[in-house]
Amino acid sequence: MSAHIAGERFGFAGQARANGCPDAWRDLDHAVWRWVIAHGGDAATAHAAAWASHAEGQGHSALPLSLPDAAGRPLLDQAQREALARSPLVANVAAGERAGGRPFVFDGDHLYLLRNHRAEVEVAQALRARRAAAHAPCRPLGDDDLRALFNGSWQDAEERQRAAVRQAVGRRLMVLTGGPGTGKTTTVLRMLLGLSREHHAATGRLPQLRIAAPTGKAAQRLAESLRQGAERLHHAGATPLGREWATHMDAVLAADAATVHRLLGSRGRHGGYAFHAGEPLPADIVVVDEASMLDLGLLRALLAALRDDAVLVLVGDADQLTSVGTGSVMMDVVQALEDDPRDDLVRLSHCFRADVALVPINEAVRAGDVAAFDIAIGAATVHAVPDVVTLRRRLSAWARNLQAALEAVAITTPVAVNDQRALAARLAVLHRQQLLCAQREGPFGATQAAETIAVRLRAWEALAPWSGGAWYPGRCVMVTRNDHAARLYNGDVGVCVLVDNGAGKPLLQVAFEPAPDASSAIRETTAAGLRLLDPTTLPPHEDAFALTVHKSQGSEYDRVAVLLPPDPASPLLVRQMLYTGLSRARKSVELWAVREVTEKALSTRLARHGRLAERIGSWTPSRPHSLQ
């Protein structure tokens, strides 16, 4: 089994330019090299610093200096390491130096940019403090409480869910991880009820509760899932939830859903957040879903903004793709908590979905087991796509299926603006099928695939009245830039619909799900919360007939096709990417890939360099990592 280091391999051989700089460097990396030279740094320090910058661009929080170059030699020899350790631009924390006044940090075998070193240290310190703050609860959850919260059920399959609910009470940090269909959201709802009762018992008041996710789409999905879970708790099962919990349910349902950036009060391009260590977030309990999408800097900001007595619940699938930013924080946190178990981590594994055929597929990918994957996915759902001609045929068939789904909801028939049921049916097409691509650009990328599908769809005779226009019924779009005024955020997806406003001429409008940061968003039903916007008022957007796997995180679809590029050398072919894409499916899945690239993805595990997991497990304030 091989481990793929995200992005380019760090190496010098065969890449030298006139100034000795590798071709792999970005303009920013060259700028770092020049800056170090201009400020008195030696050549070894300049090259190492530029590679540290390059590493950050590939998602790593640090550059391991033991990493070999293209010829198999260490990145720096012993003399160069000694020069690096003596450089006035580099803090050597192994020698007890403070890192605060220098732009680079030499820590053990790793070279850091200062901000990443500081973030790792502060995140680890905050998480260790939260783990240590666990205490005996005022109102522990007994077996009778758990039976009530689980509608009288006591199945063996729910054992890990019950453990998570019971163990969350009395903690300042709780981490819940598990694959699709394992009941993470339903477990979170019961955890919140127990935490609300505990807070009331300890303080005499109901908690201020906030729920968030890295994207607006994921935040809204969590809000809606919690609302649906609350309805089931009230009405389903042998034992509906009793009156004792009604007040706490109200507290949970009163929570607003928002992106993490909105939760912290992001100042946008001005930088920083309204809530920070000096102005703590007014929240007693904070739940962050899809935590695998958190990067190191965002988690640092969140932890800094939380009061010491607040409870943080991180929820997500640690086996999914890491964030597009720096670090792999969810993976690192789960690893650290598993290495030092204190009952503040629960991994769910039992799948509760009615269609369990997808479970063996996801498990085989998670394990990187090629033989098990072949058996689980079956030949009928794998389509070899070795070239553009074959891809076009597959896209044509995919577009025909999409057309049939749009026909089924009468997408070209005007619908009354207040006919929420019909509008919701049209919007639901977004969740019927989705093509996910490993790449964004190129002939096998999401952008070109979406364009091809759009061309095929526009050939549909029913869309002839809108020929030549940018907008037409059934056009699916994804917002690519935040628009706070419109409450539309990067990643939000909408569908163009034909609306009869009563004026005699139907209008094209774009339907979106409820805003994730709307007041009391959980209370809004899907129908009542649908929004219709004029296409001309939308922020920057693009066709969403095909998405990158990264953009699909936080979403689920009935049917998913995952397209892999035919080049086995592609750095995007990693196990987490394949797992994330395939696990977006609720009912059926297809893989569009040649055998060689599938095996490459299954056998290659993405790893990001850094020491966060190590610091969470072993860092103490007495060691010389402190930045104070």
Side-chain angles (χ1 to χ4, degrees):
M1 181 187 303
S2 62
H4 174 72
I5 308 305
E8 302 283 347
R9 190 171 173 78
F10 306 115
F12 291 72
Q15 297 181 321
R17 291 179 177 170
N19 61 4
C21 298
D23 292 333
W25 285 1
R26 306 166 299 165
D27 290 344
L28 177 59
D29 308 329
H30 282 280
V32 170
W33 183 89
R34 290 192 297 270
W35 186 92
V36 172
I37 294 296
H39 286 77
D42 60 279
T45 300
H47 271 77
W51 277 118
S53 169
H54 184 77
E56 183 192 48
Q58 303 302 323
H60 307 285
S61 59
L63 173 67
L65 297 179
S66 59
L67 200 71
D69 66 13
R73 299 167 301 195
L75 190 62
L76 298 181
D77 61 29
Q78 187 59 36
Q80 291 170 325
R81 282 170 176 260
E82 292 174 0
L84 183 68
R86 294 192 304 268
S87 172
L89 301 175
V90 180
N92 183 2
V93 298
E97 297 178 5
R98 296 185 183 275
R102 306 186 188 187
F104 308 102
V105 182
F106 189 12
D107 187 345
D109 184 51
H110 291 70
L111 182 66
Y112 287 82
L113 304 184
L114 174 61
R115 62 174 173 269
N116 291 336
H117 188 268
R118 179 179 288 136
E120 266 198 10
V121 169
E122 292 180 2
V123 166
Q125 181 181 22
L127 292 176
R128 286 175 60 87
R130 289 190 166 278
R131 300 193 78 191
H135 59 277
C138 299
R139 291 288 304 277
L141 291 169
D143 289 354
D144 290 342
D145 295 319
L146 291 173
R147 284 193 178 89
L149 291 174
F150 282 80
N151 292 118
S153 175
W154 199 268
Q155 303 175 41
D156 290 343
E158 297 168 336
E159 189 275 330
R160 297 304 298 153
Q161 291 187 335
R162 289 193 297 271
V165 175
R166 193 195 300 268
Q167 292 164 199
V169 178
R171 301 189 183 280
R172 295 288 180 256
L173 172 70
M174 190 69 196
V175 179
L176 183 68
T177 187
T182 55
K184 293 189 295 293
T185 305
T186 57
T187 303
V188 167
L189 176 60
R190 291 163 171 85
M191 289 169 64
L192 291 177
L193 291 172
L195 289 169
S196 176
R197 191 180 76 165
E198 172 66 15
H199 187 274
H200 186 269
T203 66
R205 62 177 179 83
L206 291 172
Q208 289 183 284
L209 195 150
R210 303 294 296 274
I211 60 175
T215 67
K217 180 171 52 177
Q220 181 54 41
R221 181 165 163 255
L222 174 61
E224 179 63 16
S225 296
L226 290 177
R227 184 191 65 79
Q228 293 173 352
E231 291 178 352
R232 288 193 295 270
L233 268 178
H234 277 307
H235 305 297
T239 309
L241 194 64
R243 292 182 179 179
E244 174 192 2
W245 295 98
T247 301
H248 304 294
M249 183 66 80
D250 289 342
V252 173
L253 296 182
D256 291 339
T259 63
V260 178
H261 284 89
R262 291 285 285 175
L263 175 72
L264 297 176
S266 171
R267 295 195 175 102
R269 59 174 172 261
H270 299 292
Y273 300 94
F275 299 108
H276 45 76
E279 185 66 38
L281 182 71
D284 302 302
I285 303 168
V286 174
V287 178
V288 178
D289 195 17
E290 298 292 346
S292 63
M293 288 192 277
L294 288 173
D295 62 30
L296 187 62
L298 189 55
L299 181 58
R300 175 194 185 192
L302 175 63
L303 289 167
L306 292 179
R307 301 195 314 262
D308 290 342
D309 63 345
V311 178
L312 174 63
V313 180
L314 296 177
V315 185
D317 189 343
D319 296 305
Q320 283 191 170
L321 273 171
T322 54
S323 71
V324 294
T326 304
S328 50
V329 295
M330 185 65 170
M331 189 186 305
D332 293 341
V333 170
V334 168
Q335 177 187 329
L337 271 57
E338 285 183 332
D339 291 344
D340 179 21
R342 301 186 195 177
D343 290 338
D344 46 10
L345 165 71
V346 170
R347 184 186 286 273
L348 303 178
S349 58
H350 180 83
C351 183
F352 291 89
R353 285 179 175 166
D355 186 352
V356 297
L358 299 178
V359 175
I361 298 174
N362 294 332
E363 286 303 307
V365 178
R366 228 169 55 86
D369 190 330
V370 176
F373 179 78
D374 288 341
I375 295 171
I377 197 166
T381 55
V382 178
H383 304 282
V385 184
D387 50 47
V388 173
V389 173
T390 307
L391 175 59
R392 285 174 181 163
R393 288 198 297 267
R394 293 244 50 88
L395 291 175
S396 293
W398 189 260
R400 287 195 297 271
N401 289 330
L402 176 60
Q403 177 183 321
L406 293 171
E407 281 185 290
V409 297
I411 195 69
T412 58
T413 301
V415 58
V417 70
N418 60 352
D419 189 347
Q420 295 293 314
R421 178 173 295 183
L423 289 171
R426 286 157 171 74
L427 190 60
V429 171
L430 294 172
H431 305 291
R432 297 278 175 81
Q433 66 178 70
Q434 185 64 62
L435 174 62
L436 303 178
C437 306
Q439 295 178 332
R440 172 175 170 80
E441 304 299 338
F444 286 80
T447 300
Q448 288 195 29
E451 290 175 357
T452 301
I453 293 171
V455 169
R456 299 289 191 275
L457 188 62
R458 294 297 303 262
W460 180 19
E461 185 178 353
L463 295 180
W466 297 274
S467 176
W471 290 95
Y472 52 90
R475 184 187 179 194
C476 301
V477 294
M478 172 176 280
V479 173
T480 58
R481 188 182 302 168
N482 295 341
D483 184 336
H484 298 297
R487 292 185 299 169
L488 288 175
Y489 304 100
N490 185 12
D492 285 351
V493 182
V495 61
C496 186
V497 297
L498 194 59
V499 175
D500 184 354
N501 63 357
K505 184 178 180 180
L507 300 174
L508 289 175
Q509 299 280 278
V510 186
F512 287 91
E513 292 180 343
D517 56 347
S519 177
S520 301
I522 301 179
R523 290 183 179 274
E524 295 183 287
T525 65
T526 300
L530 285 183
R531 295 176 292 160
L532 294 174
L533 288 86
D534 189 314
T536 62
T537 66
L538 295 187
H541 52 273
E542 61 189 19
D543 280 341
F545 296 119
L547 304 176
T548 62
V549 172
H550 256 298
K551 282 287 190 180
S552 74
Q553 288 181 271
S555 298
E556 288 185 333
Y557 312 93
D558 291 344
R559 178 189 177 198
V560 164
V562 177
L563 171 63
L564 304 184
D567 179 11
S570 171
L572 298 172
L573 296 175
V574 295
R575 191 183 309 163
Q576 289 95 329
M577 181 279 299
L578 185 57
Y579 173 83
T580 302
L582 294 175
S583 64
R584 299 306 89 205
R586 282 189 294 246
K587 296 180 180 179
S588 66
V589 70
E590 299 176 16
L591 179 61
W592 299 1
V594 296
R595 175 75 180 180
E596 189 178 2
V597 300
T598 301
E599 291 183 353
K600 168 72 182 307
L602 286 168
S603 61
T604 307
R605 183 178 179 274
L606 183 145
R608 282 186 169 174
H609 295 307
R611 299 178 62 192
L612 179 59
E614 174 190 344
R615 295 183 199 280
I616 295 170
S618 62
W619 185 86
T620 62
S622 61
R623 291 182 63 186
H625 293 300
S626 175
L627 297 175
Q628 302 185 5

